[in-house]
Amino acid sequence: MKPRKLNIKTIPAQDVNRAYRFWRDVFDLPQSGHASGRHLMIDGDDIIFVAGEPTDQLEMLIRDHQDELKQHLRNNFIPIVGKPEPRFGNKIAFKIHDSEGNLITLEANQ
């Protein structure tokens, strides 16, 4: 998967280690050089995992086309929530849950 942008860089988690592994493995995010704690990076910014209740406000822009994205999600046993919705500019949005119950909208190319 080729994630490009994420609207919120602080991710709520019940289990920070589990959230870190999920985001690293499913979204193929690299580790940050940040010395304290477990941080990943997207578009040059750190992603930080903090204790908190799940949110439904996360949106990620993906460079992949929808068929590649669907295959990647299947390979990682991540079900799509609801029906995909068309977006402006030949984009399509899929919703998934992460390991912590956060609802993430993934916007990919059609």
Side-chain angles (χ1 to χ4, degrees):
M1 183 180 292
K2 301 172 204 140
R4 188 168 164 225
K5 299 266 184 204
L6 180 65
N7 66 332
I8 299 172
K9 305 301 190 298
T10 303
I11 311 297
Q14 306 278 328
D15 181 327
V16 171
N17 290 326
R18 181 177 60 203
Y20 175 86
R21 286 189 307 272
F22 179 92
W23 283 71
R24 180 195 63 198
D25 296 347
V26 172
F27 298 124
D28 300 325
L29 295 174
Q31 291 181 332
S32 164
H34 202 274
S36 64
R38 292 187 149 210
H39 298 260
L40 298 172
M41 291 186 70
I42 186 167
D43 196 35
D45 293 324
D46 279 5
I47 296 174
I48 301 165
F49 301 97
V50 296
E53 293 300 314
T55 182
D56 62 357
Q57 301 299 308
L58 297 168
E59 291 200 23
M60 183 182 286
L61 182 60
I62 307 293
R63 289 187 187 125
D64 303 79
H65 284 87
Q66 67 175 326
D67 292 338
E68 296 165 330
L69 176 59
K70 287 195 270 187
Q71 183 61 49
H72 182 78
L73 294 174
R74 271 194 301 272
N75 289 347
N76 284 280
F77 306 101
I78 310 294
I80 294 170
V81 177
K83 292 185 178 187
E85 65 180 60
R87 295 250 174 122
F88 179 77
N90 242 7
K91 304 277 186 192
I92 189 159
F94 297 90
K95 294 183 188 242
I96 65 166
H97 285 287
D98 72 359
S99 61
E100 306 309 298
N102 295 305
L103 184 65
I104 307 164
T105 301
L106 303 173
E107 187 175 283
N109 297 308
Q110 281 189 340

Coordinates of all heavy atoms in Angstrom, one line a residue, residues 14-80:
Q14 N -6.3 1.6 22.5 CA -6.4 0.9 23.7 C -5.1 0.2 24.1 O -4.7 0.1 25.2 CB -7.5 -0.2 23.6 CG -8.9 0.4 23.2 CD -9.7 1.0 24.3 OE1 -9.6 0.6 25.4 NE2 -10.4 2.0 23.9
D15 N -4.4 -0.3 23.1 CA -3.2 -1.0 23.2 C -2.2 -0.4 22.2 O -2.3 -0.7 21.0 CB -3.3 -2.5 22.9 CG -2.1 -3.3 23.1 OD1 -1.0 -2.8 22.8 OD2 -2.2 -4.5 23.5
V16 N -1.3 0.4 22.6 CA -0.4 1.2 21.8 C 0.5 0.3 20.9 O 0.7 0.5 19.7 CB 0.5 2.2 22.6 CG1 1.6 2.8 21.7 CG2 -0.4 3.3 23.2
N17 N 1.0 -0.8 21.5 CA 1.8 -1.8 20.7 C 1.0 -2.4 19.6 O 1.5 -2.6 18.5 CB 2.4 -2.8 21.7 CG 3.5 -2.2 22.6 OD1 4.2 -1.3 22.2 ND2 3.6 -2.7 23.8
R18 N -0.2 -2.8 19.9 CA -1.0 -3.5 18.9 C -1.4 -2.5 17.8 O -1.3 -2.8 16.6 CB -2.3 -4.0 19.6 CG -3.2 -4.7 18.6 CD -4.5 -5.3 19.3 NE -5.2 -4.2 20.0 CZ -6.0 -4.3 21.0 NH1 -6.2 -5.6 21.5 NH2 -6.6 -3.3 21.5
A19 N -1.7 -1.3 18.1 CA -2.0 -0.2 17.1 C -0.8 0.0 16.3 O -0.9 0.1 15.0 CB -2.4 1.0 17.8
Y20 N 0.4 0.1 16.9 CA 1.6 0.4 16.1 C 1.9 -0.7 15.1 O 2.1 -0.4 14.0 CB 2.8 0.4 17.1 CG 4.2 0.5 16.5 CD1 4.7 1.8 16.1 CD2 4.9 -0.6 16.3 CE1 5.9 1.9 15.6 CE2 6.2 -0.5 15.7 CZ 6.7 0.7 15.3 OH 7.9 0.8 14.7
R21 N 1.7 -2.0 15.5 CA 1.9 -3.1 14.6 C 0.9 -3.1 13.5 O 1.3 -3.3 12.3 CB 1.9 -4.4 15.4 CG 3.1 -4.7 16.2 CD 3.1 -6.1 16.8 NE 1.8 -6.5 17.5 CZ 1.6 -6.3 18.8 NH1 2.6 -5.7 19.5 NH2 0.5 -6.6 19.4
F22 N -0.3 -2.8 13.8 CA -1.4 -2.8 12.8 C -1.0 -1.7 11.7 O -1.0 -2.0 10.5 CB -2.7 -2.5 13.4 CG -3.8 -2.4 12.4 CD1 -4.6 -3.5 12.1 CD2 -4.1 -1.2 11.7 CE1 -5.6 -3.4 11.1 CE2 -5.1 -1.1 10.8 CZ -5.9 -2.2 10.5
W23 N -0.8 -0.5 12.2 CA -0.5 0.6 11.2 C 0.8 0.4 10.4 O 0.9 0.7 9.3 CB -0.5 1.9 12.0 CG -1.9 2.4 12.3 CD1 -2.7 1.9 13.2 CD2 -2.6 3.5 11.7 NE1 -3.9 2.6 13.2 CE2 -3.8 3.6 12.3 CE3 -2.2 4.4 10.6 CZ2 -4.8 4.5 11.9 CZ3 -3.2 5.3 10.3 CH2 -4.4 5.4 10.9
R24 N 1.8 -0.2 11.1 CA 3.1 -0.5 10.4 C 2.9 -1.6 9.3 O 3.3 -1.4 8.2 CB 4.1 -0.9 11.4 CG 5.5 -1.3 10.8 CD 6.3 -2.0 11.8 NE 5.7 -3.3 12.1 CZ 6.0 -4.1 13.1 NH1 6.9 -3.7 14.0 NH2 5.4 -5.2 13.3
D25 N 2.2 -2.6 9.7 CA 2.1 -3.8 8.8 C 1.0 -3.6 7.7 O 1.3 -3.9 6.5 CB 1.7 -5.0 9.6 CG 2.9 -5.4 10.6 OD1 4.0 -4.9 10.4 OD2 2.6 -6.3 11.4
V26 N -0.1 -3.1 8.1 CA -1.2 -2.9 7.1 C -1.0 -1.7 6.1 O -1.2 -1.8 4.9 CB -2.6 -2.8 7.8 CG1 -3.7 -2.4 6.7 CG2 -2.9 -4.0 8.5
F27 N -0.5 -0.6 6.7 CA -0.3 0.6 5.8 C 1.1 0.7 5.3 O 1.5 1.7 4.6 CB -0.7 1.8 6.6 CG -2.2 1.8 6.9 CD1 -2.6 2.0 8.2 CD2 -3.2 1.7 5.9 CE1 -3.9 2.0 8.6 CE2 -4.5 1.6 6.3 CZ -4.9 1.8 7.6
D28 N 2.0 -0.2 5.7 CA 3.4 -0.2 5.2 C 4.1 1.1 5.6 O 4.9 1.6 4.8 CB 3.5 -0.5 3.7 CG 2.9 -1.8 3.3 OD1 3.0 -2.8 4.1 OD2 2.3 -1.9 2.2
L29 N 3.9 1.6 6.8 CA 4.5 2.9 7.2 C 5.8 2.6 7.8 O 6.0 1.7 8.6 CB 3.6 3.6 8.2 CG 2.2 4.0 7.7 CD1 1.4 4.6 8.8 CD2 2.4 5.0 6.6
P30 N 6.8 3.5 7.5 CA 8.1 3.4 8.0 C 8.2 3.9 9.5 O 7.4 4.7 9.9 CB 9.0 4.2 7.1 CG 8.1 5.3 6.6 CD 6.7 4.6 6.5
Q31 N 9.2 3.4 10.2 CA 9.4 3.9 11.6 C 10.0 5.3 11.5 O 10.8 5.6 10.6 CB 10.3 3.0 12.3 CG 9.8 1.6 12.6 CD 10.7 0.8 13.4 OE1 11.9 0.9 13.3 NE2 10.2 -0.1 14.2
S32 N 9.7 6.1 12.5 CA 10.2 7.4 12.6 C 11.6 7.3 13.4 O 11.8 6.3 14.1 CB 9.3 8.3 13.5 OG 9.9 9.4 13.9
G33 N 12.4 8.3 13.2 CA 13.7 8.3 13.9 C 13.5 8.9 15.3 O 14.5 9.0 16.1
H34 N 12.3 9.1 15.7 CA 11.9 9.7 17.1 C 12.4 8.7 18.1 O 12.1 7.5 18.1 CB 10.4 9.9 17.2 CG 10.0 10.9 18.2 ND1 9.8 10.5 19.5 CD2 9.8 12.2 18.1 CE1 9.5 11.6 20.2 NE2 9.4 12.6 19.3
A35 N 13.2 9.1 19.1 CA 13.8 8.3 20.1 C 12.8 7.8 21.1 O 13.0 6.7 21.6 CB 14.9 9.0 20.7
S36 N 11.8 8.6 21.5 CA 10.9 8.1 22.6 C 9.6 7.6 22.1 O 8.9 8.2 21.3 CB 10.7 9.3 23.6 OG 10.0 10.3 22.9
G37 N 9.3 6.3 22.5 CA 8.0 5.7 22.1 C 8.1 5.2 20.7 O 9.1 5.2 20.0
R38 N 6.9 4.6 20.3 CA 6.7 4.0 19.0 C 6.1 5.0 18.1 O 4.9 5.3 18.3 CB 5.9 2.7 19.2 CG 6.7 1.7 19.9 CD 5.9 0.4 19.9 NE 6.9 -0.7 19.9 CZ 6.7 -1.8 19.4 NH1 5.6 -2.2 18.8 NH2 7.7 -2.8 19.5
H39 N 6.8 5.4 17.1 CA 6.3 6.4 16.1 C 6.5 5.9 14.7 O 7.5 5.3 14.4 CB 7.0 7.7 16.3 CG 6.8 8.4 17.6 ND1 5.9 9.4 17.8 CD2 7.4 8.2 18.8 CE1 6.0 9.8 19.1 NE2 6.9 9.0 19.7
L40 N 5.5 6.1 13.9 CA 5.6 5.8 12.5 C 5.6 7.2 11.7 O 5.3 8.2 12.3 CB 4.5 4.9 12.0 CG 4.4 3.6 12.7 CD1 3.1 2.8 12.3 CD2 5.6 2.7 12.3
M41 N 5.8 7.1 10.4 CA 5.8 8.3 9.6 C 4.9 8.2 8.4 O 4.8 7.1 7.8 CB 7.2 8.7 9.1 CG 8.2 9.1 10.2 SD 9.7 9.6 9.6 CE 9.2 11.2 8.8
I42 N 4.3 9.3 8.0 CA 3.6 9.4 6.8 C 3.8 10.9 6.3 O 3.7 11.8 7.0 CB 2.1 9.1 6.9 CG1 1.4 9.1 5.6 CG2 1.4 10.1 7.9 CD1 0.0 8.5 5.6
D43 N 4.3 10.9 5.0 CA 4.5 12.2 4.4 C 5.4 13.1 5.2 O 5.2 14.3 5.3 CB 3.2 12.9 4.1 CG 3.3 14.0 3.0 OD1 4.2 13.9 2.1 OD2 2.6 15.0 3.2
G44 N 6.4 12.5 5.8 CA 7.4 13.3 6.6 C 7.0 13.7 8.0 O 7.7 14.3 8.7
D45 N 5.7 13.3 8.4 CA 5.2 13.7 9.7 C 5.1 12.4 10.6 O 4.8 11.3 10.1 CB 3.8 14.3 9.7 CG 3.9 15.7 9.0 OD1 4.8 16.4 9.2 OD2 2.9 16.0 8.3
D46 N 5.4 12.6 11.9 CA 5.3 11.5 12.9 C 3.8 11.2 13.1 O 3.0 12.1 13.2 CB 5.9 11.8 14.2 CG 7.4 11.6 14.2 OD1 8.0 11.3 13.1 OD2 8.1 11.8 15.2
I47 N 3.5 9.9 13.3 CA 2.2 9.5 13.8 C 2.4 9.0 15.2 O 3.4 8.2 15.4 CB 1.6 8.3 12.9 CG1 1.3 8.8 11.5 CG2 0.4 7.8 13.6 CD1 0.9 7.7 10.6
I48 N 1.6 9.5 16.1 CA 1.8 9.1 17.5 C 0.5 8.4 18.0 O -0.6 8.8 17.7 CB 2.0 10.4 18.4 CG1 3.2 11.2 17.9 CG2 2.1 10.1 19.8 CD1 3.3 12.6 18.4
F49 N 0.7 7.3 18.8 CA -0.4 6.5 19.3 C -0.5 6.9 20.8 O 0.4 6.9 21.5 CB -0.1 5.0 19.1 CG 0.1 4.6 17.7 CD1 1.3 4.5 17.1 CD2 -1.0 4.4 16.9 CE1 1.5 4.2 15.8 CE2 -0.9 4.1 15.6 CZ 0.4 4.0 15.0
V50 N -1.8 7.3 21.2 CA -2.0 7.7 22.5 C -3.2 6.9 23.1 O -4.1 6.5 22.3 CB -2.3 9.2 22.6 CG1 -1.1 10.0 22.2 CG2 -3.5 9.6 21.8
A51 N -3.3 6.7 24.4 CA -4.4 6.1 25.0 C -5.7 6.9 24.8 O -5.6 8.2 24.9 CB -4.2 5.9 26.5
G52 N -6.8 6.3 24.4 CA -8.0 7.0 24.1 C -9.1 6.2 23.5 O -8.8 5.1 23.1
E53 N -10.2 6.8 23.4 CA -11.4 6.1 22.8 C -11.3 6.2 21.3 O -10.8 7.2 20.7 CB -12.7 6.8 23.3 CG -13.0 6.6 24.7 CD -13.1 5.1 25.1 OE1 -13.8 4.4 24.4 OE2 -12.5 4.7 26.1
P54 N -11.8 5.2 20.6 CA -11.8 5.2 19.1 C -12.5 6.4 18.5 O -13.4 6.9 19.0 CB -12.5 3.9 18.7 CG -12.5 3.0 19.9 CD -12.5 4.0 21.1
T55 N -12.0 6.8 17.3 CA -12.5 7.9 16.6 C -13.0 7.4 15.2 O -12.6 6.4 14.7 CB -11.5 9.0 16.4 OG1 -12.1 10.1 15.7 CG2 -10.3 8.6 15.6
D56 N -13.9 8.2 14.6 CA -14.3 7.9 13.2 C -13.9 9.0 12.3 O -14.4 9.2 11.2 CB -15.8 7.7 13.1 CG -16.6 8.9 13.5 OD1 -16.0 9.9 13.9 OD2 -17.8 8.9 13.4
Q57 N -12.9 9.8 12.7 CA -12.5 11.0 12.0 C -11.2 10.8 11.1 O -10.7 11.8 10.6 CB -12.3 12.2 12.9 CG -13.5 12.5 13.7 CD -14.7 12.9 12.8 OE1 -14.5 13.8 12.0 NE2 -15.8 12.3 13.0
L58 N -10.7 9.6 11.0 CA -9.4 9.4 10.3 C -9.6 9.3 8.8 O -10.5 8.5 8.4 CB -8.7 8.2 10.9 CG -8.3 8.3 12.3 CD1 -7.8 6.9 12.8 CD2 -7.2 9.3 12.5
E59 N -8.9 10.0 8.0 CA -9.0 9.9 6.6 C -7.5 9.8 6.0 O -6.7 10.6 6.4 CB -9.7 11.1 6.0 CG -11.2 11.0 6.3 CD -12.0 11.9 5.3 OE1 -11.5 12.1 4.2 OE2 -13.1 12.3 5.7
M60 N -7.3 8.8 5.2 CA -6.0 8.6 4.6 C -6.1 8.6 3.1 O -7.0 7.9 2.5 CB -5.4 7.3 5.1 CG -4.0 7.0 4.6 SD -3.4 5.4 5.1 CE -3.0 5.8 6.8
L61 N -5.3 9.4 2.4 CA -5.2 9.4 1.0 C -4.2 8.3 0.5 O -3.1 8.3 1.0 CB -4.8 10.8 0.5 CG -4.7 11.0 -1.0 CD1 -6.1 10.7 -1.7 CD2 -4.2 12.4 -1.3
I62 N -4.6 7.5 -0.4 CA -3.8 6.3 -0.8 C -3.5 6.5 -2.3 O -4.3 6.9 -3.1 CB -4.5 5.0 -0.7 CG1 -5.1 4.8 0.8 CG2 -3.7 3.8 -1.1 CD1 -4.0 4.7 1.8
R63 N -2.2 6.2 -2.7 CA -1.9 6.3 -4.1 C -2.4 5.1 -5.0 O -2.4 5.2 -6.2 CB -0.3 6.4 -4.3 CG 0.2 7.7 -3.8 CD 1.7 7.8 -4.1 NE 2.3 8.9 -3.5 CZ 3.3 8.9 -2.7 NH1 3.9 7.8 -2.4 NH2 3.8 10.0 -2.2
D64 N -2.7 4.1 -4.3 CA -3.1 2.8 -5.0 C -4.4 3.0 -5.7 O -5.2 3.9 -5.4 CB -3.2 1.7 -4.0 CG -2.0 1.4 -3.2 OD1 -1.8 2.2 -2.3 OD2 -1.3 0.5 -3.6
H65 N -4.7 2.2 -6.7 CA -6.0 2.1 -7.4 C -6.8 1.1 -6.6 O -6.3 0.3 -5.8 CB -5.8 1.6 -8.8 CG -5.3 2.6 -9.7 ND1 -4.0 2.9 -9.9 CD2 -6.0 3.6 -10.5 CE1 -3.8 3.9 -10.8 NE2 -5.0 4.3 -11.1
Q66 N -8.1 1.3 -6.7 CA -9.1 0.5 -5.9 C -8.9 -1.0 -5.9 O -9.0 -1.6 -4.9 CB -10.5 0.9 -6.2 CG -11.0 0.5 -7.5 CD -12.5 0.8 -7.7 OE1 -13.3 0.7 -6.8 NE2 -12.8 1.2 -8.9
D67 N -8.6 -1.6 -7.1 CA -8.4 -3.0 -7.1 C -7.2 -3.4 -6.3 O -7.2 -4.5 -5.6 CB -8.2 -3.5 -8.6 CG -9.5 -3.3 -9.4 OD1 -10.6 -3.3 -8.7 OD2 -9.4 -3.2 -10.6
E68 N -6.1 -2.7 -6.4 CA -4.9 -3.0 -5.6 C -5.2 -2.8 -4.1 O -4.7 -3.7 -3.3 CB -3.7 -2.0 -6.0 CG -3.3 -2.1 -7.4 CD -2.4 -0.9 -7.8 OE1 -2.6 0.2 -7.3 OE2 -1.5 -1.1 -8.6
L69 N -5.9 -1.8 -3.7 CA -6.3 -1.6 -2.3 C -7.1 -2.7 -1.8 O -6.8 -3.2 -0.7 CB -7.0 -0.2 -2.2 CG -7.5 0.1 -0.8 CD1 -6.3 0.1 0.2 CD2 -8.3 1.4 -0.7
K70 N -8.1 -3.1 -2.6 CA -9.0 -4.2 -2.1 C -8.2 -5.5 -1.9 O -8.4 -6.2 -1.0 CB -10.2 -4.4 -3.1 CG -11.2 -3.3 -3.0 CD -12.5 -3.7 -3.7 CE -12.5 -3.3 -5.1 NZ -13.8 -3.5 -5.8
Q71 N -7.3 -5.8 -2.8 CA -6.5 -7.0 -2.7 C -5.6 -6.9 -1.5 O -5.4 -7.9 -0.8 CB -5.6 -7.2 -4.0 CG -4.8 -8.4 -4.0 CD -5.7 -9.7 -3.9 OE1 -6.6 -9.8 -4.6 NE2 -5.3 -10.6 -3.0
H72 N -5.0 -5.7 -1.3 CA -4.1 -5.6 -0.1 C -4.9 -5.8 1.2 O -4.4 -6.4 2.1 CB -3.5 -4.2 -0.1 CG -2.5 -3.9 1.0 ND1 -1.2 -4.4 1.0 CD2 -2.7 -3.2 2.2 CE1 -0.7 -4.0 2.2 NE2 -1.5 -3.3 2.9
L73 N -6.1 -5.2 1.3 CA -6.9 -5.4 2.5 C -7.3 -6.9 2.6 O -7.3 -7.4 3.8 CB -8.2 -4.5 2.4 CG -7.9 -3.0 2.4 CD1 -9.2 -2.2 2.2 CD2 -7.3 -2.6 3.7
R74 N -7.6 -7.6 1.6 CA -8.0 -9.0 1.6 C -6.7 -9.8 2.1 O -6.9 -10.7 3.0 CB -8.4 -9.5 0.3 CG -9.9 -9.5 0.0 CD -10.3 -10.3 -1.2 NE -9.6 -9.9 -2.4 CZ -10.0 -9.0 -3.3 NH1 -11.1 -8.3 -3.0 NH2 -9.4 -8.7 -4.4
N75 N -5.6 -9.5 1.6 CA -4.4 -10.2 2.1 C -4.1 -10.0 3.5 O -3.4 -10.8 4.2 CB -3.1 -9.7 1.2 CG -3.2 -10.1 -0.2 OD1 -4.0 -11.0 -0.6 ND2 -2.4 -9.5 -1.0
N76 N -4.5 -8.9 4.1 CA -4.3 -8.6 5.5 C -5.6 -8.9 6.4 O -5.6 -8.5 7.5 CB -3.9 -7.1 5.7 CG -2.4 -6.9 5.3 OD1 -1.5 -7.2 6.1 ND2 -2.2 -6.5 4.1
F77 N -6.6 -9.5 5.8 CA -7.8 -9.9 6.5 C -8.5 -8.7 7.1 O -9.0 -8.8 8.2 CB -7.5 -11.0 7.5 CG -6.8 -12.2 7.0 CD1 -5.4 -12.3 7.2 CD2 -7.4 -13.1 6.3 CE1 -4.7 -13.4 6.6 CE2 -6.8 -14.2 5.7 CZ -5.4 -14.4 5.9
I78 N -8.6 -7.6 6.3 CA -9.2 -6.4 6.8 C -10.5 -6.3 6.0 O -10.4 -6.0 4.8 CB -8.3 -5.1 6.6 CG1 -6.9 -5.3 7.2 CG2 -9.1 -3.9 7.1 CD1 -6.9 -5.5 8.6
P79 N -11.7 -6.4 6.6 CA -12.9 -6.2 5.9 C -13.3 -4.7 5.6 O -12.9 -3.9 6.4 CB -14.0 -6.8 6.8 CG -13.4 -6.7 8.2 CD -11.9 -6.8 8.0
I80 N -13.9 -4.5 4.5 CA -14.4 -3.2 4.1 C -15.7 -3.0 4.8 O -16.6 -3.9 4.8 CB -14.5 -3.0 2.6 CG1 -13.1 -3.1 2.0 CG2 -15.2 -1.7 2.3 CD1 -13.1 -3.1 0.5

